[in-house]
Amino acid sequence: FFHGFYAEETLVENLASMSTSERIKAIQKMPETMQKKREIRNKVLKEITKKSRLRSTQLCSCAQCLQGVAVSFRRFGNSLSEYFHVLQLQYKTLKVIGAEFGTSVLSYFIFLKWLLTFNIFSFLINFSFITIPQFLAAEPNNLSFTGLELLTGTGYFQQTVLYYGFYTNATISKIKNGPSYNMQLAYIFTVGLYFVICFLILLFSMAKSFCRNFINPQTYPGNASKLLCTWDFNITNEKAVKLKQKNLSTQIKEDFTEVNREVLNFSVTERVVCIAIHFGSWVASLGTALAACAGVYFLSTNNLKLFVKGHRNDLESQAAMLVLPVVTSLLNAFIPFFYSWLGRLERFQSPGQHIYVTIARNIILKISIVGILCYYWLNIVAASESQCWETLVGQDIYRLIVVDFMFCLLGSFFGEFLRRIIGTTVCVSLGLPEFDIGRNVLDLIYSQTLTWISILFSPLIPGIQIISFSIVFYVKKVSLMMNCQPPRKVWRTAQMTTSFMFLLFFPSFLGVLSVIGVTVWRLKPSEECGPFRGLSSMYAAVSEWIEILENYTASKWVVWVYQNLITSELFFFILSTFTLMVAYLYWQIIEGRKSTIKHLQKQIIN
């Protein structure tokens, strides 16, 4: 015991004397468990802190202050690392889902976790550069809070930083003759840079997933390597061992199912019948989507009449505001069940075909509904007699998101919990339900699309989505474990995450960019609210800023960049051509690597 204690003390002292990079590499190379490595790291940090305190007594007061700041930052970093370790509990949840239900269901939860992280990033950007400065210039809110605002988004919330109309158009300066903060430029540049960053993140995520699953899948483990080379010998816990075994077993089953998939041969009559069923199903699905869009448009025009008459706080008026989001959520909730029934009627050869067709029908439905709503907001609400049409749009989106979240929870209860009760007690032949991947994924894409549109009209909506996605993650996980059974047909879905990313990029994100572009460049802002009041368009704030910069010699380069690059069609044409050339060269490099790997594999086999 004493020998081991002395050896550990010596180890800690040696590690404390190393540089940071050497210490990290030394701890990583230790043949110990992760928990033991964390304990050693924490002891080393404590030893460094102790030595720092002894050394600080010999320093001057200024040096002591700097040393204290460094120690505080080190402690903060240590606490932050422990916090992120707690967040890794989600990783264990994903491993359990992958082992029990396979990669098809796992892909939904990975996508949901990615969207949650994405909205945290969105919230931090908007809150830091738009909301915090507005707090400095905000006036007190004299409206009373009744609780109905949580559903309707009106009343007390109307005079808060939640909506566009509350933000000032003044230049904020709390110190006389000190630095100032232009809210117009901050608002438009924050939103613009946010969408540029989102564009790059989505492109990178799609390219990475596409390369991994489509272009170069040979670089990832196959069946033999999964069976012989992927076991982690650091796993000692019995539950973790069983979970790892089950996970590997499920992955190998999926790979074998993909290899041994049979191609069914149909007669001419059977093919004609199948084509007729597919054609009828598509006609029914498109007709249903068209009828849903017509209903949403009719309700939206009546919804505007309610706003134009004036905001009343009585219960009847508050309930009337919820008619449009409730009906829209009902259509988005029940029509996908009809699409799933059509898919079972068509009897596809593989579960993958069924899911992809269901996703295609759902994306047509949901994007069409969002398109009708955007037309209503940009062409009818923006031209209405309302004092602040941007806030009306933000309130509409707030209600749609909140009601959609409630229907998502109700869908887990009625669609999965009650279905399990019926399948195990009333009609045993039905059995347990399977997790509907297509419907649940399109619910996430629909909700994220509304969030992106709301960035301009309600900058803090991503914060609401963080709460809703966090709750949805754990509700869906509990519902999956308690109510659902694994897919009856095991199949490999390596490309499904790539498909989700692509659907999120097109038509969702690119459609949102067109909506934001029309709003910023074409529509006239409200005269009495918001940071762009009194301007001909939101983009006019940038043009006026450039005209001011022309009077300053030090800012001539900004004017040159704006006039010769930002507003130049030729520059964007050259940039697009260069991007396509780089993409083509990258494709050729990947294809070369792919052929080289195939050649090496043939040589090894021979």
Side-chain angles (χ1 to χ4, degrees):
F1 170 77
F2 288 107
H3 177 72
F5 180 77
Y6 176 76
E8 185 172 328
E9 272 197 342
T10 306
L11 175 63
V12 169
E13 290 179 359
N14 291 335
L15 289 172
S17 62
M18 296 180 182
S19 63
T20 304
S21 59
E22 291 176 346
R23 183 166 61 250
I24 292 173
K25 290 179 181 178
I27 294 175
Q28 287 177 346
K29 291 180 180 179
M30 289 180 183
E32 302 286 351
T33 62
M34 291 300 297
Q35 184 178 0
K36 184 65 176 177
K37 290 179 180 180
R38 289 193 189 96
E39 291 177 0
I40 294 173
R41 182 198 62 190
N42 292 335
K43 289 180 180 179
V44 171
L45 290 177
K46 288 180 181 179
E47 182 68 21
I48 293 172
T49 304
K50 189 188 299 182
K51 290 182 178 179
S52 299
R53 287 175 179 172
L54 292 174
R55 202 179 298 117
S56 64
T57 57
Q58 302 172 0
L59 299 175
C60 62
S61 59
C62 181
Q64 287 179 352
C65 180
L66 292 175
Q67 192 71 20
V69 170
V71 172
S72 300
F73 271 109
R74 192 180 296 114
R75 289 176 179 173
F76 174 75
N78 193 20
S79 302
L80 201 62
S81 65
E82 295 298 328
Y83 171 72
F84 280 111
H85 174 63
V86 173
L87 291 182
Q88 289 301 315
L89 292 174
Q90 285 188 348
Y91 177 70
K92 183 180 178 181
T93 300
L94 296 178
K95 288 181 67 176
V96 173
I97 292 172
E100 293 286 342
F101 297 90
T103 57
S104 57
V105 178
L106 177 64
S107 62
Y108 165 80
F109 286 91
I110 292 174
F111 185 59
L112 175 55
K113 185 172 178 289
W114 187 86
L115 285 179
L116 178 60
T117 307
F118 202 87
N119 280 283
I120 292 174
F121 163 75
S122 306
F123 175 76
L124 290 176
I125 286 183
N126 291 338
F127 188 77
S128 300
F129 297 102
I130 299 178
T131 305
I132 291 179
Q134 177 61 32
F135 279 134
L136 301 176
E139 298 179 358
N141 191 345
N142 297 322
L143 299 176
S144 58
F145 182 78
T146 62
L148 287 174
E149 292 88 346
L150 295 174
L151 282 176
T152 63
T154 58
Y156 180 84
F157 285 163
Q158 190 171 348
Q159 297 298 324
T160 63
V161 291
L162 183 60
Y163 295 120
Y164 164 94
F166 184 73
Y167 289 85
T168 182
N169 64 336
T171 300
I172 301 172
S173 179
K174 285 297 181 180
I175 303 174
K176 190 175 182 180
N177 298 325
S180 58
Y181 196 84
N182 191 319
M183 275 302 297
Q184 288 184 344
L185 297 178
Y187 204 100
I188 194 168
F189 282 146
T190 300
V191 172
L193 289 175
Y194 165 74
F195 278 108
V196 170
I197 294 171
C198 288
F199 181 79
L200 296 176
I201 290 175
L202 285 173
L203 277 183
F204 175 78
S205 301
M206 278 197 308
K208 183 179 178 181
S209 183
F210 185 79
C211 179
R212 181 174 65 246
N213 296 319
F214 286 92
I215 296 178
N216 202 16
Q218 290 86 353
T219 57
Y220 290 84
N223 296 329
S225 58
K226 281 181 182 175
L227 187 62
L228 302 174
C229 307
T230 60
W231 187 259
D232 187 358
F233 288 94
N234 283 328
I235 300 176
T236 55
N237 184 273
E238 186 177 354
K239 290 184 179 180
V241 169
K242 291 182 178 179
L243 181 62
K244 185 70 174 178
Q245 289 174 343
K246 200 165 188 178
N247 208 329
L248 286 174
S249 173
T250 303
Q251 291 180 25
I252 293 172
K253 285 179 183 178
E254 291 173 351
D255 290 337
F256 279 129
T257 304
E258 187 77 12
V259 172
N260 299 326
R261 186 173 59 184
E262 296 181 1
V263 178
L264 301 178
N265 295 317
F266 296 103
S267 63
V268 176
T269 305
E270 289 174 336
R271 288 181 181 178
V272 170
V273 171
C274 285
I275 292 172
I277 292 175
H278 289 320
F279 179 77
S281 298
W282 274 105
V283 169
S285 62
L286 293 176
T288 306
L290 183 63
C293 291
V296 169
Y297 180 77
F298 172 76
L299 285 173
S300 61
T301 53
N302 288 339
N303 184 61
L304 179 63
K305 293 177 183 178
L306 176 67
F307 280 114
V308 171
K309 288 179 181 179
H311 292 281
R312 293 177 295 169
N313 292 323
D314 59 303
L315 188 61
E316 181 182 356
S317 177
Q318 300 285 330
M321 292 179 184
L322 295 173
V323 172
L324 175 62
V326 168
V327 172
T328 303
S329 297
L330 281 172
L331 293 173
N332 283 324
F334 286 102
I335 293 179
F337 285 108
F338 173 65
Y339 290 166
S340 297
W341 178 78
L342 287 177
R344 286 193 290 271
L345 187 67
E346 291 173 286
R347 296 186 179 182
F348 292 99
Q349 292 187 24
S350 69
Q353 292 178 348
H354 182 193
I355 287 179
Y356 283 124
V357 170
T358 304
I359 285 177
R361 289 168 179 167
N362 277 284
I363 198 70
I364 291 172
L365 169 69
K366 293 181 183 293
I367 294 300
S368 299
I369 289 177
V370 172
I372 292 295
L373 290 172
C374 289
Y375 174 82
Y376 156 68
W377 290 327
L378 302 186
N379 290 276
I380 299 178
V381 176
S384 65
E385 300 174 359
S386 172
Q387 292 182 349
C388 191
W389 65 267
E390 295 93 346
T391 295
L392 295 187
V393 174
Q395 291 172 349
D396 265 347
I397 298 176
Y398 175 90
R399 286 189 288 271
L400 286 167
I401 288 175
V402 170
V403 174
D404 181 72
F405 165 68
M406 296 171 63
F407 270 80
C408 183
L409 300 183
L410 291 174
S412 295
F413 178 76
F414 289 103
E416 295 166 0
F417 175 71
L418 290 185
R419 171 70 172 76
R420 176 178 69 87
I421 299 297
I422 294 171
T424 54
T425 57
V426 180
C427 186
V428 182
S429 60
L430 289 176
L432 295 175
E434 292 186 17
F435 189 79
D436 194 336
I437 301 169
R439 176 173 59 84
N440 284 284
V441 166
L442 267 298
D443 287 342
L444 295 180
I445 293 177
Y446 168 77
S447 185
Q448 186 60 39
T449 303
L450 291 177
T451 303
W452 276 330
I453 297 173
S454 70
I455 290 293
L456 192 63
F457 308 105
S458 182
L460 296 187
I461 286 292
I464 297 173
Q465 281 292 44
I466 292 171
I467 299 172
S468 65
F469 280 164
S470 300
I471 296 174
V472 165
F473 183 91
Y474 288 102
V475 168
K476 290 292 183 183
K477 172 230 173 184
V478 172
S479 178
L480 177 71
M481 295 296 182
M482 293 181 60
N483 304 320
C484 299
Q485 64 173 339
R488 293 184 180 92
K489 295 181 179 179
V490 181
W491 58 293
R492 187 170 62 89
T493 54
Q495 297 88 3
M496 185 158 281
T497 304
T498 308
S499 303
F500 296 163
M501 292 289 182
F502 178 77
L503 290 174
L504 189 65
F505 182 76
F506 177 82
S508 176
F509 182 75
L510 292 184
V512 170
L513 284 184
S514 63
V515 172
I516 298 297
V518 170
T519 306
V520 171
W521 270 274
R522 298 294 182 186
L523 298 184
K524 182 177 175 59
S526 299
E527 294 287 346
E528 302 180 12
C529 71
F532 303 102
R533 65 189 80 175
L535 299 177
S536 59
S537 67
M538 294 183 182
Y539 188 73
V542 179
S543 302
E544 291 183 359
W545 177 60
I546 293 297
E547 291 178 1
I548 295 173
L549 291 181
E550 289 179 350
N551 300 322
Y552 297 92
T553 307
S555 303
K556 289 291 185 181
W557 66 274
V558 179
V559 178
W560 185 90
V561 169
Y562 175 80
Q563 293 176 346
N564 295 279
L565 299 182
I566 304 299
T567 59
S568 172
E569 295 85 357
L570 178 61
F571 169 74
F572 285 102
F573 174 76
I574 295 173
L575 183 63
S576 302
T577 305
F578 176 75
T579 304
L580 290 174
M581 289 178 60
V582 171
Y584 177 75
L585 291 174
Y586 179 72
W587 177 276
Q588 292 296 321
I589 293 171
I590 293 297
E591 285 296 317
R593 286 178 56 194
K594 185 176 178 180
S595 61
T596 303
I597 291 171
K598 285 184 177 180
H599 180 68
L600 290 173
Q601 286 177 341
K602 288 181 181 179
Q603 286 184 341
I604 292 171
I605 292 172
N606 294 331

